[in-house]
Every structure is written in structure tokens, then in C-alpha cells.
Amino acid sequence: MVTFAKLSVSDYYTLRVCLNAPLAKTELILLAVSMRSRGQSGSVDRERLIGCEASRFGFVSISGMLSATADSVEERDDEQEDEGEEELRDGGVPFYVNRNGLPMDEDTWERMWRHVGRIHPDGDALGKSIRGATDLAKIPIPSVPTYQPTTTIPLRLEAIQKYIRELQYNHTGTQFFEIKKSRPLTALMDIAKEMTREALPIKCLEAVILGIYLTNSMPAVERFPLSFKSQFSGNYFYHIVLGVHSGGRFGALGMSRREDLMFKPLEYRTLMDLVQDFKEAYRGYWHTLRKVKIGQYVSHDPHSVEQIEWKHSVLDVDALSKEELRKELERHTRDMRLKIGKPAPSSPTKDRRNSMGSPLRGQGSPIRRVSRVDRRPSGEKKTLEQKASGDMNLYQIRV
């Protein structure tokens, strides 16, 4: 048995890993940033370290551990952003997803209010004031936009964005509609219909699905997912909008806390111009844009079993020069144009009905999944970002 009197902070945490008491990855990263920024070496109570057997030490370099941890945390965050977990995080602030449909079950309902009490400045007082009120104002339900045959595409898109905005941004910390990106388009369109019936506040991913649903009747408008990963004060933030292309111009539909991070009118000549506009908007909130992910055009068939291709191109903005970024975006634009000429896979239900006259597929039958096109990462860079100065760590500017 070996005992230790005083150790540096890095040695202490190395020993904890050796003792099968590993730190949470985020805790380890915070430790590294703290040590690097302050050059501080602390001491710990020797009693916490007594009992470690010398034979169990495989003394791994703390810097190597931190580098590997940074990579794995970023990968985990990307996976979380892709598929969704029970508790997601937005810039380090957790939020939940209602996975049991509407109306909410009691457990989800109570969890939502508990979470509101944790994240709202007024704490539990806000929930009590709302839940105990008997004279709450009736919330108006916005109407799904309708158009005259002569209404132009830009005006239709503005009407759709106005409708999305009237639903309002969901600040409760609980996403009301579960969006699984791996689901077929037809299932996601059913969720969009439910959004129009319930008229509840939504977040950015729900707004993308709703935007696809509301533009399905516009064959002249091509739609594609456009997502962003930004960084502020050491935390990562994820956002997504629905890119649109029509008449040789690009634009976007979406929902955000920030007015200039959702709707973009149909007036951008190139995809580069659109992305640069978003980048400048992020800069206005002291966010650094790290990655841009762009998907392929989405089918206009609401009954398609095709999956949305969310990230055909993954562009590391840090690693690319402005000219390299422009070339990558031009290449992606060409890829999207090529897809227009390719027929979407037909529904297995229609095939069986035409050839055999069999009844409709039951709900329990498996749905064929379409393989994804290989992603094209550009200049991926996995480096541990240091946190900003101490005065910036006291708050987070969320977008």
C-alpha cells in the first residue's frame, strides 16, 4: 500500500482514473482548461488517496487523456445532436423531449415544471403563479397559411415564416414533439400535421419539419436542412434551419431566439452568400461558427419512405479558408442539382398494391431504410478549445 501527502491537481485526477473512479468527461475538460488558463497546481487531502495499490498505476499522461477526451466529447455531442437523447443540452443547459405524445402524461408534465423551476430566474415561483392562476388569457391559435394561385413564391415563404413565428419559441426546456431524424419522411409529416393541430411553441428542429410540410405543395421550391455548430465561452450550441432554393436564389425558414438566425428572404445568389450571412449573424452575438452541415434536397412527396439526408456535407469552418469554403459550397450545390433528376424510391405499399392487390402495410411491419450517401467531411479538426476569460464564464448567450 502506498500513501501520498500532497499531489498536484493533474496527478490527483490521474490517480482517480487509475482507481477506477473516472471523472465525467466535461469535468476533466474543465479541469484542463482551468489549469492551463491559471497555471494553478492545487493540493488535496491525503486521506482521499490512501489505499491505492502501486500495481494498479498505469500512469497515463494527463495531456493525452485530455486530448482523447476532447475528441470523444465532441463526437458524443454530435451524435446527441443527430439522434437525440432523453436529456439533450443546448450550450450546456439541459432540455428534455416529450417522447410520449400529446396530451402529456403526468410524469412528463411534472418533470417539465420541475425543470422550469431549475432554469428560470424566478425558480419555482413562476410555475406556482401560472399553475395556480384561474384567469389565464386565452392563447390565439394561428391559422395555417393559404394562398391565391397568383401569390408569388417569396410571398408564400414569408407567410409560412409568419405562421412559424406566431407559434412562438419554446422556452420551457421541454420539446413537445419528438423528432427522430432517422424516421421516414411520411412519419415526420404526420408529426408536422400534429404541430398544426396543437399549435404549441416549437424549437428549431420542429420548425424545419413544419417548414417541409408547409412547402410540399410548392414543387418550384427545393428544400434542404442547414445546421450550424457555434461556440461561445467554451460551450457548443447547435441550430438548424430549412434552406430553400427557387428561381436561382437561396433563402431559409426556421425558428430561433434570435431574429437574424431563422428567416432569410429568397434573395441570396449563392449558398456561400447565405452561409456568410448566418456567420455574420453569429458574430453579432459573440459566437464563433465552427461547423456547417448541409443536407440534400428533400422530396415533395409527403408519403415518401425516404429518409432526409441531414448532412451530405460537413464543413469545418475553422479549417477552411474563405475560398475553400466557397468551393465546397459550390460542389454541394452541384450535388443537390444532380439529385433532382434522380427518382425517389417508391413506396413499398404502392408496389405491393399495384402488383398483388394486397392490403395496406400494417403498423407493425418494418419500414425499409434507405442507405445514407457517404458524408464528405472537409478539413475536420479536433482540438481542445480553451474557455474564454473568467468574466465571460458567468453567463451564456444562447442562440
Side-chain angles (χ1 to χ4, degrees), residues 128-186:
K128 291 178 180 178
S129 65
I130 295 176
R131 302 181 75 177
T134 58
D135 57 346
L136 292 174
K138 188 174 181 179
I139 305 299
I141 298 178
S143 300
V144 177
T146 56
Y147 330 97
Q148 297 294 329
T150 55
T151 304
T152 63
I153 294 297
L155 290 179
R156 293 187 183 200
L157 294 177
E158 289 180 13
I160 291 173
Q161 182 61 47
K162 180 175 181 293
Y163 172 75
I164 293 175
R165 187 183 288 108
E166 287 175 348
L167 291 177
Q168 300 186 24
Y169 189 88
N170 180 0
H171 293 279
T172 66
T174 297
Q175 183 175 306
F176 296 136
F177 303 94
E178 182 184 17
I179 308 296
K180 289 186 176 180
K181 292 183 174 181
S182 58
R183 300 189 72 183
L185 185 60
T186 180

Side-chain angles (χ1 to χ4, degrees), residues 300-311:
H300 286 79
D301 180 7
H303 306 294
S304 171
V305 296
E306 186 179 6
Q307 289 178 329
I308 296 175
E309 189 175 346
W310 296 93
K311 44 185 182 180

